[in-house]
Amino acid sequence: MAELLQPIHTLGEAWFGFLWPLLWTLVKVMVLIAPVMFCVTYLTWAERKIIGYMQVRIGPNRVGIFGLLQPLADAVKLFCKETLIPLHSDKVVFLLAPILTLVPALLVWAVVPFSPELILADLNIGVLYVLAISSMGAYGILMSGWASGSRYALLGSLRSAAQTISYEVAVGFTLIPVIMLTGSLSLRDVVLAQQDMWNIIPLLPLFGIYFISSVAETNRAPFDLPEAEAELVAGFFTEYSAMSFGMFFLGEYANMILVSTLGAVLFLGGWLPPVPMLAFIPGIVWLLLKIGFLLFVFLWIRATFPRYRYDQLMRLGWKVFLPISLLWVFLTGVTLHLLGRVA
């Protein structure tokens, strides 16, 4: 009997050996995504509160203590609403578009290092992975505008595509000097290379370009031209309702948290403390503080600046940020050559 059951036992061990790494990876993915989605949800509450205080208003204060349950009430409202699909739309593409906007914003987190050990996938091409996956979000916006069958949505999506491409070029060139200083494309190595000096010190102008370009890439005020209500009603999500609209909403805030995290990792030392004597504080606390500060600046900008004109937006990306970032790449290369760090 034992000899008859041996093949079954061997097959079971083989399946367990195949499935266990997959299941463990799925568990790690869920452990990573759940806090991200929680932060995305409550970033909406923080935005309304912070901007309310800046404008001498109270903000959400009815649902729960200090309005803390307002994001949950918003989620219940979105889930209970009916999903309306325009009669002349491409239904499959119409429904895929919000998914393609949200999912890339979650996939990038796989290579983000929260501490030397806390990272889902330490890819040696982490920076390229970030650029490749994050750029896919533009396809979701283009698909939504085309599939909606609305002129307003189409114009909004075209604006967004042009805006995203324009500022992604500048963002890409701001990352090249970081890679040159680090000598690696791994985000973990980028952080470790900043133990003596954060990258923001030698690359301060590039950090400014990165952050402003990130505001433009996420379609946030004052660069929210793709959804300008004065001329485009609501832009690319004019025809969306219920949770399909909610996915666009979540994607925008997930991207805000993502670009703030990458800014902290690439320029602000990631989990590293500002001075060695504060190293007793856990690294993830420092990373969260840096992310929180950059997110606050996101909200501060929205409460302060009026919306740009579209020609001003494009001129800033192509005629100001692109030449400066290219110049800094050249200066970084010359400096490293003079210091003997490159051949």
Side-chain angles (χ1 to χ4, degrees):
M1 180 62 70
E3 294 178 355
L4 292 175
L5 294 177
Q6 184 62 34
I8 299 176
H9 180 69
T10 305
L11 182 62
E13 287 184 343
W15 270 105
F16 181 80
F18 171 76
L19 289 176
W20 174 247
L22 179 61
L23 292 175
W24 180 238
T25 302
L26 290 176
V27 169
K28 291 192 291 184
V29 168
M30 293 306 299
V31 170
L32 175 63
I33 290 180
V36 171
M37 294 305 297
F38 177 82
C39 294
V40 167
T41 302
Y42 273 89
L43 180 58
T44 63
W45 173 85
E47 177 177 36
R48 295 161 76 177
K49 274 290 187 183
I50 291 171
I51 294 179
Y53 284 126
M54 285 183 174
Q55 298 175 347
V56 197
R57 295 185 290 106
I58 296 176
N61 67 337
R62 289 289 186 268
V63 188
I65 302 174
F66 304 114
L68 285 171
L69 298 181
Q70 186 63 51
L72 301 181
D74 294 338
V76 170
K77 180 185 71 173
L78 288 173
F79 275 112
C80 292
K81 282 181 174 290
E82 179 186 2
T83 300
L84 300 176
I85 301 178
L87 182 62
H88 299 291
S89 66
D90 187 318
K91 295 178 177 55
V92 175
V93 179
F94 184 83
L95 295 175
L96 282 177
I99 299 174
L100 194 56
T101 301
L102 176 61
V103 170
L106 300 178
L107 290 176
V108 176
W109 287 93
V111 297
V112 174
F114 296 93
S115 70
E117 300 81 19
L118 191 56
I119 178 173
L120 184 61
D122 186 15
L123 299 182
N124 57 4
I125 53 168
V127 176
L128 293 181
Y129 174 85
V130 168
L131 292 174
I133 298 298
S134 60
S135 63
M136 291 177 61
Y139 291 102
I141 295 175
L142 272 176
M143 289 165 60
S144 68
W146 178 81
S148 295
S150 166
R151 294 193 184 108
Y152 298 115
L154 180 60
L155 288 173
S157 66
L158 291 175
R159 273 188 177 187
S160 180
Q163 179 173 322
T164 301
I165 292 171
S166 300
Y167 283 88
E168 271 190 357
V169 173
V171 168
F173 280 114
T174 61
L175 301 186
I176 292 176
V178 173
I179 297 169
M180 294 169 68
L181 292 176
T182 304
S184 172
L185 290 169
S186 168
L187 291 176
R188 182 175 179 273
D189 292 343
V190 169
V191 176
L192 294 176
Q194 299 178 71
Q195 290 180 340
D196 297 326
M197 180 175 60
W198 292 358
N199 286 333
I200 191 174
I201 297 175
L203 304 177
L204 180 59
L206 291 187
F207 174 72
I209 292 174
Y210 168 84
F211 189 78
I212 297 173
S213 298
S214 298
V215 175
E217 272 202 274
T218 52
N219 297 328
R220 294 284 299 179
F223 305 115
D224 54 341
L225 274 302
E227 51 189 89
E229 68 278 356
E231 63 265 27
L232 295 179
V233 185
F236 55 88
F237 49 69
T238 299
E239 304 297 336
Y240 283 87
S241 60
M243 206 53 213
S244 56
F245 165 78
M247 294 184 73
F248 279 116
F249 197 65
L250 293 174
E252 176 181 318
Y253 285 85
N255 279 316
M256 286 172 57
I257 298 175
L258 174 64
V259 296
S260 298
T261 304
L262 292 175
V265 168
L266 294 168
F267 293 96
L268 301 178
W271 64 79
L272 299 175
V275 290
M277 67 180 64
L278 296 176
F280 65 92
I281 300 176
I284 193 170
V285 174
W286 287 115
L287 180 60
L288 292 176
L289 287 174
K290 295 169 187 176
I291 295 171
F293 171 74
L294 294 179
L295 287 172
F296 174 76
V297 177
F298 258 97
L299 307 182
W300 191 2
I301 289 173
R302 178 179 178 181
T304 306
F305 293 99
R307 181 179 293 146
Y308 270 45
R309 292 199 320 263
Y310 196 72
D311 62 307
Q312 293 173 328
L313 172 77
M314 301 304 284
R315 182 170 64 248
L316 180 66
W318 288 107
K319 294 187 177 181
V320 179
F321 286 173
L322 182 59
I324 293 176
S325 58
L326 281 172
L327 175 63
W328 220 263
V329 171
F330 173 75
L331 293 176
T332 303
V334 170
T335 304
L336 292 176
H337 180 72
L338 293 176
L339 294 175
R341 292 180 56 181
V342 295

